[in-house]
Amino acid sequence: MTLFEEKTIATEKIFEGKVIDLQVDTVKLPNGHESKRELVKHPGAVAVIAVTDEDKLVLVKQFRKPLEKTILEIPAGKIDPGEEPIKTAARELREETGYTAEGLSLVTSFYTSPGFADEIIYLYEATGLIKGDAQPDDDEFVEIEEVDLNVAATYMADQTIHDAKTAYAVMYLQLKQARNQS
Amino acid sequence: MTLFEEKTIATEKIFEGKVIDLQVDTVKLPNGHESKRELVKHPGAVAVIAVTDEDKLVLVKQFRKPLEKTILEIPAGKIDPGEEPIKTAARELREETGYTAEGLSLVTSFYTSPGFADEIIYLYEATGLIKGDAQPDDDEFVEIEEVDLNVAATYMADQTIHDAKTAYAVMYLQLKQARNQS
């Protein structure tokens, strides 16, 4: 679909960073008017739904500077240049939690902030988890918490879980459970 | 929770835009090392789950410049300075779809991209929809599509619906339906 397409007239590069780039595009709207679009470029990320043999969802506690607080999320990380998303998923799961997975299957992908950023998250489900030691990057500080699905639901309610991808993961597992019971 | 807090040593403002600002913070990590954090500041947004009397979910088709394509999303928009989120929800619903709602209740809120942005979305559920004329901004181009929940599910599968907040909305309705049936 390219309904209401906005044609790019000019691109001004504002910033090139380690994680994101920023540019401002001048666009021609469907009515002929010109407007500006502020666009964040992101390499894309993966996130992993990992449920242990004891039916616990693996979460990582991490300080998030943009929020100035620590939140509880499913394991996730950004895709390195040229890296296949499934490799990123295996790598981030191992680095952050110590788990390796016998299988990783793609559940879905979604854009997180289509109004201003092109970030896409590929969401994987891990099966056959084998516990090892976490290997966080030198400058990465995470703590693992493994929770029952009903505890995850209370964390959704009290916003200990407070980000879109982790909320997606919990609802995905709740739907799976509801369908298995029906 | 402020586990693993990163203390700000310096803030460099890179860009102030109409929608987002960008800054780079120098932070002191828990191990004493210094690092940089690229931070996008966003005013926050709302999104609205609106289901008509005919049990159809109201979606809007919109070109998203960061993605260079048109996607189908629940009505949404950013919060104006000083605006209460529930007012934004009523305003965006009316402007984009023409519907006014007798009731708007907060379902949840979530951060969309906690790794690099502080954007939070407040998700509302509308009840008692009354149809009027859409009043998009001069430079806003949207087309409304109202779909059954099972059609929304196929749109999730084929990625016509491809953003986090809309996926959340569809799963929320699916869970509600599953719980009503059990």
Side-chain angles (χ1 to χ4, degrees), chain A residues 38-91:
Chain A
E38 300 158 7
L39 309 175
V40 172
K41 300 284 187 176
H42 185 281
V46 303
V48 183
I49 303 173
V51 176
T52 67
D53 288 346
E54 293 78 33
D55 266 339
K56 286 179 188 290
L57 176 63
V58 182
L59 298 171
V60 293
K61 219 177 263 179
Q62 190 173 7
F63 184 79
R64 290 301 202 171
K65 188 66 189 167
L67 316 180
E68 290 293 348
K69 64 182 174 188
T70 307
I71 60 171
L72 206 51
E73 299 166 65
I74 55 173
K78 65 175 197 296
I79 300 168
D80 282 341
E83 191 177 38
E84 273 184 84
I86 196 169
K87 297 265 166 68
T88 315
R91 179 175 59 73

Side-chain angles (χ1 to χ4, degrees), chain A residues 14 22 24 32-33 50 60 73 76 96 123 139 143 145 152 173 180:
Chain A
I14 306 287
L22 175 66
V24 176
H33 292 182
V60 293
E73 299 166 65
E96 292 191 348
L123 182 65
D139 288 344
E143 195 175 275
E145 187 171 336
L173 294 172
N180 282 342

Side-chain angles (χ1 to χ4, degrees), chain A residues 7-23:
Chain A
K7 303 264 186 211
T8 306
I9 297 169
T11 294
E12 184 191 0
K13 292 196 183 294
I14 306 287
F15 176 77
E16 290 193 11
K18 280 188 307 177
V19 179
I20 54 172
D21 298 340
L22 175 66
Q23 68 187 51

Side-chain angles (χ1 to χ4, degrees), chain B residues 3-71:
Chain B
L3 190 77
F4 307 134
E5 190 172 350
E6 300 174 353
K7 304 265 185 211
T8 307
I9 296 169
T11 293
E12 184 191 0
K13 293 195 183 296
I14 306 286
F15 176 78
E16 290 193 10
K18 281 188 307 178
V19 179
I20 55 172
D21 299 339
L22 174 65
Q23 67 187 52
V24 176
D25 279 11
T26 306
V27 299
K28 189 171 208 173
L29 302 175
N31 63 3
H33 293 180
E34 285 187 13
S35 191
K36 301 276 189 186
R37 295 285 178 249
E38 300 158 7
L39 309 175
V40 171
K41 301 284 186 176
H42 185 281
V46 303
V48 183
I49 303 173
V51 176
T52 68
D53 288 347
E54 294 78 33
D55 267 339
K56 285 178 190 290
L57 177 63
V58 181
L59 297 171
V60 294
K61 219 178 263 180
Q62 190 173 7
F63 183 79
R64 291 301 202 171
K65 189 66 188 166
L67 315 182
E68 290 293 349
K69 64 182 175 189
T70 307
I71 60 171

